[in-house]
Amino acid sequence: MKCLSWAVMGLFLVGSTAVGCAHMPRWAGGGWTTLIDGADGLENWDRVGGANWRAVEGVIQADGGTAAGYLVSKSAYKDFEILVEFWASDDANSGIYMRCADPKAITDRTCYEANIFDQRPDPTYGTGAVVHIAKVSPMPKAGGKWNTYAITVKGPRLTLVLNGSRTADVEDSKLASGPIALQWAKGVIKFRKVQIRPL
């Protein structure tokens, strides 16, 4: 009887894993360009600002600096899907910036920002929101764990999926094309996978 119980439990765990994996984004397949893979990929970005970006323990990380800083992609993108795997401390202020108008002056007004900011004073534009464009309620928490952002930008439509849950789906035509950027402004932020695919 004990063997049967273990067998049933094993089947349950395998089934649960398969269901969970069905909601995970696909990292492989045609058309994807890998910009960060573990500790590799800093050469794919230009540094703007004063963050201490570096490769450490299998990730690209920033946890301090003289001012907010960004890793800015060397290429511009119009319509695309981007997959980002990140770890944020509870007090992290970070984000994924898209279609940036000026690659040397990154702001949440001149780019679309998929926010990573659990402790934002105004939580309506905190983690899971597109800052100034799409509010999030209730705000999910990203601090203290690994997370996955799957973001689709096509025409005027921006869709954010954080850890399998859609947090924003909005249309805005202000910005048509530009590079992407990864932000550090406070706390600790780690990226271990960034892939992009033009649409």
Side-chain angles (χ1 to χ4, degrees):
M1 190 63 159
K2 186 181 283 187
C3 290
L4 180 60
S5 297
W6 282 111
V8 170
M9 185 180 293
L11 287 172
F12 174 77
L13 290 173
V14 169
S16 298
T17 302
V19 170
C21 290
H23 297 287
M24 294 298 290
R26 292 181 57 209
W27 298 103
W32 290 98
T33 298
T34 299
L35 299 176
I36 289 177
D37 188 8
D40 297 326
L42 272 176
E43 70 280 2
N44 297 321
W45 309 83
D46 293 322
R47 297 180 193 218
V48 174
N52 64 345
W53 295 106
R54 64 204 185 280
V56 57
E57 298 178 355
V59 299
I60 303 298
Q61 173 178 314
D63 57 10
T66 57
Y70 305 86
L71 293 178
V72 182
S73 67
K74 296 182 186 238
S75 298
Y77 301 93
K78 181 180 179 183
D79 294 338
F80 58 90
E81 183 178 10
I82 185 169
L83 299 172
V84 180
E85 194 173 336
F86 69 93
W87 185 96
S89 60
D90 291 327
D91 64 340
N93 179 358
S94 182
I96 316 300
Y97 288 67
M98 300 159 288
R99 289 185 176 173
C100 296
D102 183 350
K104 297 194 181 305
I106 306 296
T107 76
D108 58 16
R109 296 285 186 180
T110 60
C111 310
Y112 294 120
E113 181 191 1
N115 213 357
I116 303 167
F117 195 178
D118 288 357
Q119 296 181 10
R120 191 175 194 270
D122 175 6
T124 57
Y125 290 115
T127 299
V130 180
V131 180
H132 308 302
I133 305 290
K135 298 177 180 180
V136 61
S137 180
M139 185 189 75
K141 298 280 187 160
K145 63 184 178 182
W146 283 101
N147 304 269
T148 302
Y149 249 141
I151 302 169
T152 303
V153 180
K154 188 169 184 180
R157 190 166 191 175
L158 294 88
T159 306
L160 275 55
V161 177
L162 179 64
N163 299 328
S165 296
R166 183 175 298 182
T167 60
D169 192 349
V170 68
E171 291 196 1
D172 186 89
S173 56
K174 178 177 62 178
L175 302 165
S177 181
I180 62 169
L182 310 177
Q183 179 199 37
W184 172 85
K186 183 182 177 184
V188 180
I189 188 71
K190 303 176 184 181
F191 295 98
R192 69 180 178 190
K193 184 76 80 172
V194 177
Q195 290 185 301
I196 193 164
R197 174 171 62 180
L199 297 174

